[in-house]
Amino acid sequence: MSKSELLEKSNVFQYDDHIEKAICEIEKNLKSKYNISKRSIALLLLQEDRDIIEMVKAKESSFTEISEVINKTKKLFSEPLYYVITIQRQKKIDEIISNVVTTRNDSKRLISHWLDKITVQPLTGIPVLLLVLYFGFYKFVGEFGAGTLVDFIEGNIFENYINPWVNNFVTKYISNEAIRELLAMEYGVITLGLRYALAIILPIVGTFFLMFSIIEDSGYLPRLALLVDRLFKSIGLNGRAVIPMTLGFGCDTMATLVSRTLETRRERVIATLLLALAIPCSAQLGVIMGMLSGKPAALAVWALFVGLVFVLVGYLAAQVLPGEKPVFYMEIPPLRWPRLGNIIEKTVSRMQWYFLEIVPIFIIASVLIWIGRMTGIFDALIRWSEPLMMALGLPPETAEAFLFGFFRRDYGAAGLYDLQKNGVLNGVQMTVASVTLTLFVPCIAQFSVMLKERGLKTTLAIVAFIFPFAFLAGYILNLILKAAGVVW
């Protein structure tokens, strides 16, 4: 027995009988030498640590017997072994701490400890996450932001007052038709660009940033990272990636910048791919939730399909891309009531970023659309895109929204919102269009950040994959819904 093993045996923590029996049986089958004790190897094997499994597979001829021990032990517990072992350790730690630390058993501390436990355990943590998503994002961002606020600002203020006044003004005082088209009418900088930016996108982005600031300041995000760590490892990431992924629901451009905090290049490339492909920004998410909120089944299909694409593409990317596998560790701050000052400061700073970075892009997009219409390029691109829209089961008018999506995906989503409001799209078409646009190529701002962060070769490879994949996914979804006879 090695010196490290002797030291460990003299002061070893005992797990329950089932775990200890499994450890002993695995230790008997470990014949090779290792840098750490055989007990530690056995515990890591029971927790299905991939690196240790591969190492033991390569060294031990009796790995089949070891696997049988692991599988037999797993059947004795309703929870995963890694969870069982962690909980038993945690109980011992709590016991040691209770002997040396005096704490006040007030109601606030008891509630905080209870919340700590239910947010990180899979059995209770997943329902908590679903509640946060439902009330925080579906009800507040989707129904209130994309519904109530957008209907008031876009429907009442812009359509009833601002756009008619601007159209009348330019018609009366500007004789040049090209300048009139640039400023007003159907595709004007004010009547389209500013309307999309301020009346449709701004309320959604504002409500999302407000909700994200509340969640961030409460200390919930690190617990969410713990909760999804195992899932994320299957797609080549770890729990730390929950920060850029969650931030991507605010703005994928900002999230791509934040992905530089991930440790390995492999993780950063996978995170960038998934952000560009399957994470809708807050404005796009809000518009889609607003469009589909009246049809819960359609919203569920959209969420499940995009979620499936996220996991499938992430898993395949993790198998294909070489590099180090992720290791996860993160400090967990205490849960607390969000502070109003922090929430306001974070929300205002992000809204300031939105005005400085994003609103100009909407104006530039409107100018480019105007140039395209003046030169005939825009109309030609729409005509060339119409057969593709028909293949997806969509009306030809949706080609315009996808062309908007080249500039910004939320710009395209706002175009779909207009089509849905005018009764052009039925429920199935809205679902197919929403899925395809969600998976569509990254916007100009995100593309430029990808170039800066990942380089030309990686960025072009990601875009070359995403463009055909988005339409293929939409085509497959349309076939599935038609075959199932779905009518919404």
Side-chain angles (χ1 to χ4, degrees):
M1 188 177 290
S2 69
K3 184 178 179 181
S4 63
E5 287 176 311
L6 284 170
L7 287 170
E8 187 172 351
K9 291 285 186 184
S10 65
N11 192 28
V12 70
F13 162 59
Q14 296 290 317
Y15 296 90
D16 70 23
D17 293 341
H18 296 307
I19 299 293
E20 286 297 331
K21 183 180 176 183
I23 291 171
C24 290
E25 290 180 14
I26 292 172
E27 282 182 305
K28 290 175 185 176
N29 287 285
L30 295 174
K31 309 298 183 184
S32 303
K33 289 186 177 181
Y34 298 93
N35 293 329
I36 59 176
S37 69
K38 290 182 179 180
R39 181 179 176 85
S40 298
I41 294 287
L43 279 166
L44 289 168
L45 287 170
L46 286 170
Q47 294 173 86
E48 297 182 287
D49 184 282
R50 292 184 180 182
D51 292 335
I52 296 299
I53 288 173
E54 289 178 9
M55 180 178 71
V56 174
K57 264 185 184 179
K59 287 189 173 187
E60 304 293 347
S61 59
S62 59
F63 187 77
T64 304
E65 288 81 357
I66 294 172
S67 295
E68 288 176 2
V69 174
I70 295 169
N71 290 328
K72 185 172 66 175
T73 309
K74 284 166 69 176
K75 292 177 182 177
L76 299 173
F77 298 93
S78 59
E79 301 283 356
L81 286 180
Y82 76 88
Y83 174 76
V84 173
I85 291 170
T86 301
I87 290 300
Q88 291 187 23
R89 283 177 181 162
Q90 188 62 51
K91 284 181 179 177
K92 183 63 177 178
I93 291 167
D94 291 342
E95 181 185 326
I96 294 169
I97 291 173
S98 66
N99 291 330
V100 295
V101 176
T102 302
T103 57
R104 291 178 303 167
N105 290 322
D106 55 27
S107 59
K108 287 184 179 179
R109 181 172 180 79
L110 291 172
I111 292 170
S112 177
H113 182 67
W114 177 74
L115 288 172
D116 260 333
K117 290 178 68 176
I118 68 167
T119 52
V120 297
Q121 295 177 5
L123 192 63
T124 52
I126 292 172
V128 169
L129 173 60
L130 293 175
L131 285 173
V132 170
L133 292 175
Y134 179 75
F135 288 105
F137 295 100
Y138 177 72
K139 300 295 285 185
F140 184 65
V141 179
E143 290 191 359
F144 177 69
T148 306
L149 290 182
V150 169
D151 287 346
F152 174 74
I153 299 172
E154 198 261 347
N156 291 341
I157 298 176
F158 266 83
E159 287 194 357
N160 292 339
Y161 297 101
I162 296 177
N163 280 9
W165 183 85
V166 171
N167 287 335
N168 290 334
F169 181 87
V170 298
T171 301
K172 185 175 181 180
Y173 294 103
I174 298 176
S175 58
N176 188 296
E177 185 179 349
I179 302 300
R180 285 204 302 264
E181 293 284 341
L182 172 63
L183 297 176
M185 308 305 167
E186 190 176 1
Y187 298 100
V189 169
I190 299 172
T191 53
L192 182 72
L194 286 181
R195 178 169 69 89
Y196 277 8
L198 301 180
I200 298 178
I201 307 304
L202 179 63
I204 300 167
V205 170
T207 50
F208 176 87
F209 283 154
L210 177 60
M211 182 53 58
F212 186 81
S213 297
I214 292 171
I215 293 171
E216 182 182 31
D217 204 56
S218 70
Y220 177 66
L221 282 181
R223 286 158 180 81
L224 180 58
L226 269 180
L227 186 66
V228 302
D229 178 58
R230 194 171 183 82
L231 170 65
F232 273 29
K233 279 183 177 173
S234 69
I235 59 174
L237 301 171
N238 64 42
R240 188 180 288 104
V242 79
I243 304 299
M245 290 299 161
T246 308
L247 194 56
F249 287 105
C251 177
D252 286 311
T253 305
M254 189 190 302
T256 304
L257 285 169
V258 173
S259 68
R260 65 173 62 164
T261 59
L262 301 178
E263 291 185 349
T264 67
R265 184 180 184 278
R266 178 173 178 262
E267 288 178 90
R268 292 191 289 270
V269 170
I270 292 173
T272 302
L273 167 63
L274 294 176
L275 284 167
L277 174 67
I279 302 293
C281 66
S282 60
Q284 189 183 19
L285 178 67
V287 171
I288 289 171
M289 287 196 298
M291 288 194 304
L292 301 180
S293 61
K295 302 179 187 296
L299 185 61
V301 168
W302 169 80
L304 288 172
F305 194 87
V306 173
L308 180 64
V309 167
F310 177 88
V311 174
L312 179 62
V313 172
Y315 175 78
L316 294 175
Q319 306 309 308
V320 171
L321 291 176
E324 299 175 35
K325 293 183 178 179
V327 177
F328 176 62
Y329 53 89
M330 177 177 279
E331 182 181 353
I332 305 296
L335 283 172
R336 67 177 187 183
W337 281 107
R339 295 177 181 174
L340 182 61
N342 291 349
I343 294 169
I344 294 172
E345 184 179 351
K346 291 174 181 178
T347 305
V348 168
S349 66
R350 286 166 180 153
M351 292 303 296
Q352 183 181 19
W353 172 86
Y354 172 81
F355 275 105
L356 294 176
E357 298 290 331
I358 305 305
V359 173
I361 292 175
F362 275 78
I363 295 172
I364 292 168
S366 296
V367 173
L368 291 175
I369 291 170
W370 172 75
I371 293 171
R373 286 181 61 80
M374 291 296 103
T375 57
I377 295 174
F378 188 80
D379 293 331
L381 288 173
I382 289 176
R383 286 196 301 272
W384 294 340
S385 303
E386 285 176 359
L388 186 57
M389 298 299 106
M390 300 293 284
L392 295 174
L394 302 176
E397 294 91 331
T398 50
E400 189 174 286
F402 279 91
L403 197 56
F404 288 171
F406 273 114
F407 302 104
R408 277 193 63 82
R409 285 194 291 186
D410 46 3
Y411 205 65
L416 288 182
Y417 175 84
D418 274 349
L419 293 174
Q420 184 258 351
K421 188 176 66 174
N422 294 328
V424 176
L425 300 173
N426 61 35
V428 171
Q429 290 172 332
M430 280 193 295
T431 307
V432 173
S434 297
V435 165
T436 309
L437 192 63
T438 300
L439 304 176
F440 201 43
V441 292
C443 66
I444 292 173
Q446 188 180 359
F447 182 80
S448 63
V449 170
M450 287 168 61
L451 279 174
K452 179 182 175 184
E453 295 290 319
R454 305 289 166 258
L456 178 63
K457 185 178 177 181
T458 301
T459 300
L460 292 179
I462 289 174
V463 173
F465 166 75
I466 288 175
F467 184 77
F469 180 83
F471 288 105
L472 176 63
Y475 178 75
I476 292 171
L477 178 61
N478 183 52
L479 289 181
I480 293 171
L481 294 176
K482 278 187 175 179
V486 174
V487 178
W488 287 318

